[in-house]
Amino acid sequence: MRHRRALMATSVGNLLEQYDNLIYAYSATTLAALFFPGSRGTAGVLSTFAVFAVGFFARPLGTVVFGHIGDRFGRRPALFISVVVMGAATALIGCLPTHETAGNWAPAMLVLLRLVQGFALAGEWAGSAAMLVEYAPEGRRGVFGSFNQVSTAAGFLLAAAVVAVNEAVFPDDAMLSFGWRVPFLLGAVTAVAAAFLRLGLEETPAFVEQESGTAQRLNPLRSAFTHQKLAMLRGFGFTVGWTVAYFFFLTYLPTYLRTDAGVPAGVVNASSLAGIGVLTVSIFLFGLWSDRIGRKKLLLAGSGGFVLLSYPVMALFSTGSTAAVYGGQILIALVLGCFSGPGPAALAELFPTTLRYSALGIGYNFGVMAFGGTAAFIASAITAATGSGPAVAILPTAAALITFLTVCAMPESYRSPLR
């Protein structure tokens, strides 16, 4: 019962926090018109994605703060604070005045709230991964850890669905005057639900067992850099291709399909929902499989798949064909699921319990800061400079190659006891 409660509270909280983060990306074209009216077309989208990237630069501070809380005082208080801060920031974005009424103060306030969101999200991913893996029964760390990514993908799915429904309900004028605020204001509701679920959550058995060894946890950040440098470097390389794939194909791609490939908005929204639905199911199945055949085979297949397939898939998308768009979305979902299923467990298994929150967070969040938040912006810039959709595939291809080489150097860990 404790295992199931922890699984639900952690996963649902992560889902709702990912929703809060991603509705910004899915609302990029609308936000460009409201907050950057002087920048037309591609320039406006670039400005909006630049602000999206800004949130990721608050992650180092969030990693330090939440890592310290999580390793020193427990996973539960860190995850509770994280979800409350994220929900509050998202709701406030929904209350912002636009450029028309507040001038340049509007984008300035948007940047500030994106920084708060990035700060909060830094504590969420590492904490939920640690919580799920540490609560997992023997031999089931892969499938339990996969719910970190199942809930992340479900957060993408929820964000995409809410934005799609919102666009269908509100006409253009109503969307620009009020409708764009609705998905953000729902962030307040999601924050309350997630906080309630996490209130009664107990600490993980692994953390409780380690409580007697408090010396190392007195300064988790210093201990992590003293004892876990190689593991954190591997965590960084592990994250590069993974995070670029997520933010390239799940946040940049919908905008590219609309603005560059000329795909109708309805097809873009429906195919995104189909792809994310396939991704959500495949993550669970690959996580389950990793407990039987190991993490490394699947991780190599997933990262290698992006090295080989990114260019052909972008060429497919550039045709604008409805069948090509659906087929490409589903193919990408399966390859991403192959990596994302075993990913959280493989990362968590790199680190000891006393430093897991901090060390995992440093490796992961610095990778996301450097490559995830900037992926959509860099991709938009490449497309604008080259005028070629397929050319932008160099970004996920190069990032996936770094991750593939990192995984080659990592030990297989699925049968090793959790440290």
Side-chain angles (χ1 to χ4, degrees):
M1 179 62 77
R2 288 178 62 205
H3 296 300
R4 269 180 270 175
R5 178 177 173 78
L7 185 66
M8 182 180 72
T10 307
S11 300
V12 172
N14 186 53
L15 182 159
L16 298 177
E17 195 154 351
Q18 295 296 337
Y19 162 83
D20 286 354
N21 182 48
L22 264 298
I23 51 175
Y24 181 97
Y26 284 121
S27 303
T29 52
T30 302
L31 293 175
L34 292 166
F35 288 87
F36 306 98
S39 301
R40 300 295 178 189
T42 301
V45 173
L46 278 170
S47 298
T48 309
F49 277 137
V51 176
F52 181 70
V54 161
F56 290 79
F57 289 95
R59 289 203 175 205
L61 178 60
T63 297
V64 171
V65 172
F66 287 105
H68 183 84
I69 296 170
D71 284 330
R72 182 67 182 87
F73 302 104
R75 291 23 173 160
R76 187 175 70 94
L79 287 173
F80 178 81
I81 295 168
S82 170
V83 79
V84 170
V85 172
M86 172 61 91
T90 305
L92 286 172
I93 289 177
C95 297
L96 283 179
T98 63
H99 191 279
E100 184 180 1
T101 56
N104 290 333
W105 283 106
M109 288 185 283
L110 186 64
V111 168
L112 177 62
L113 290 172
R114 276 298 299 162
L115 286 169
V116 175
Q117 282 190 318
F119 171 81
L121 199 61
E124 175 61 33
W125 198 96
S128 65
M131 176 77 81
L132 288 165
V133 171
E134 289 174 7
Y135 252 114
E138 187 66 29
R140 301 191 66 193
R141 293 198 301 262
V143 69
F144 261 62
S146 74
F147 275 90
N148 171 278
Q149 287 299 286
V150 167
S151 57
T152 296
F156 275 82
L157 185 63
L158 181 61
V162 168
V163 170
V165 170
N166 206 47
E167 289 181 353
V169 169
F170 289 99
D172 289 345
D173 290 345
M175 175 65 71
L176 292 174
S177 65
F178 175 76
W180 71 272
R181 300 180 186 275
V182 174
F184 292 95
L185 294 175
L186 286 175
V189 178
T190 64
V192 170
F196 177 78
L197 283 170
R198 288 180 173 177
L199 265 177
L201 194 60
E202 297 179 23
E203 282 301 336
T204 69
F207 181 85
V208 172
E209 287 177 13
Q210 293 288 340
E211 277 198 301
S212 58
T214 56
Q216 206 176 29
R217 288 203 304 272
L218 291 176
N219 194 327
L221 184 66
R222 181 184 300 171
S223 297
F225 277 103
T226 301
H227 303 290
Q228 299 295 317
K229 288 191 286 290
L230 177 59
M232 289 191 299
L233 186 60
R234 284 175 172 169
F236 179 87
F238 187 97
T239 303
V240 171
W242 193 9
T243 193
V244 167
Y246 254 104
F247 288 101
F248 181 91
F249 288 107
L250 298 184
T251 63
Y252 165 73
L253 184 62
T255 299
Y256 167 78
L257 290 173
R258 289 186 188 189
T259 59
D260 293 278
V263 179
V267 173
V268 174
N269 289 335
S271 64
S272 294
L273 291 174
I276 299 171
V278 171
L279 173 62
T280 305
V281 175
S282 68
I283 288 171
F284 169 77
L285 295 176
F286 283 116
L288 184 66
W289 200 13
S290 77
D291 284 328
R292 299 179 183 178
I293 68 168
R295 323 272 189 240
K296 195 165 181 175
K297 297 182 187 72
L298 296 174
L299 294 170
L300 289 173
S303 54
F306 278 112
V307 173
L308 297 174
L309 294 174
S310 291
Y311 184 86
V313 167
M314 284 306 298
L316 199 64
F317 285 136
S318 69
T319 66
S321 159
T322 298
V325 169
Y326 274 94
Q329 293 269 33
I330 291 170
L331 179 58
I332 287 299
L334 291 171
V335 177
L336 189 53
C338 185
F339 194 94
S340 299
L347 259 185
E349 288 163 353
L350 287 173
F351 308 103
T353 298
T354 49
L355 299 173
R356 183 167 292 119
Y357 208 131
S358 295
L360 193 162
I362 290 166
Y364 177 82
N365 282 310
F366 274 80
V368 172
M369 178 195 72
F371 295 98
T374 58
F377 178 81
I378 294 172
S380 296
I382 292 172
T383 303
T386 64
S388 168
V392 80
I394 190 173
L395 180 61
T397 301
L401 182 59
I402 294 171
T403 295
F404 181 84
L405 295 175
T406 301
V407 173
C408 286
M410 288 171 55
E412 179 57 86
S413 56
Y414 80 113
R415 288 181 175 170
S416 303
L418 202 62
R419 293 182 288 160

